[in-house]
Amino acid sequence: MPVTKSISSFKAEASEVIGKIADAPVPILITQNGEAKAVLQDIESYERQVETLALLKILALGEKQVREGRTKSASEVFERLRQRYQST
C-alpha cells in the first residue's frame, strides 16, 4: 500500500523521502489539492515493473498470434533454421 504525501510536504522533505524509499521500497503517492498526481518509487522496483510489463506484452502478442492462427510447428521452425544456417 503506498504512502500518501502532499506535494508541499514532499517538497519540504524531498531528500528525506527519497532516502526512505531507498531503505524501504514502498511507493509514495504524491497529491496536489487532495488529488493523486504522481507516484514516486525506488529505481529497482521501477525497473522490475518495466521488465514485467515487457514480458506481459510479449505474452499478449503470442496469444494474439495463436488466436489468429499465425503459428508454426517446432519441426517447421527447426527445418527452416537448418536450411538458413547450412546455406551460410
Side-chain angles (χ1 to χ4, degrees), residues 14-78:
S15 182
E16 180 183 319
V17 170
I18 290 172
K20 285 182 181 178
I21 286 176
D23 295 337
V26 175
I28 297 179
L29 182 66
I30 307 296
T31 62
Q32 185 175 32
N33 298 324
E35 291 184 37
K37 294 293 182 178
V39 175
L40 182 66
Q41 69 185 118
D42 67 289
I43 193 67
E44 288 180 23
S45 295
Y46 171 76
E47 288 172 345
R48 279 195 310 272
Q49 186 176 10
V50 168
E51 289 174 4
T52 300
L53 288 173
L55 290 172
L56 288 171
K57 285 180 183 180
I58 290 168
L59 286 172
L61 177 61
E63 286 180 351
K64 180 182 176 202
Q65 289 175 337
V66 168
R67 281 193 309 274
E68 294 172 351
R70 296 172 49 201
T71 60
K72 295 190 183 324
S73 69
S75 59
E76 288 178 281
V77 172
F78 287 128

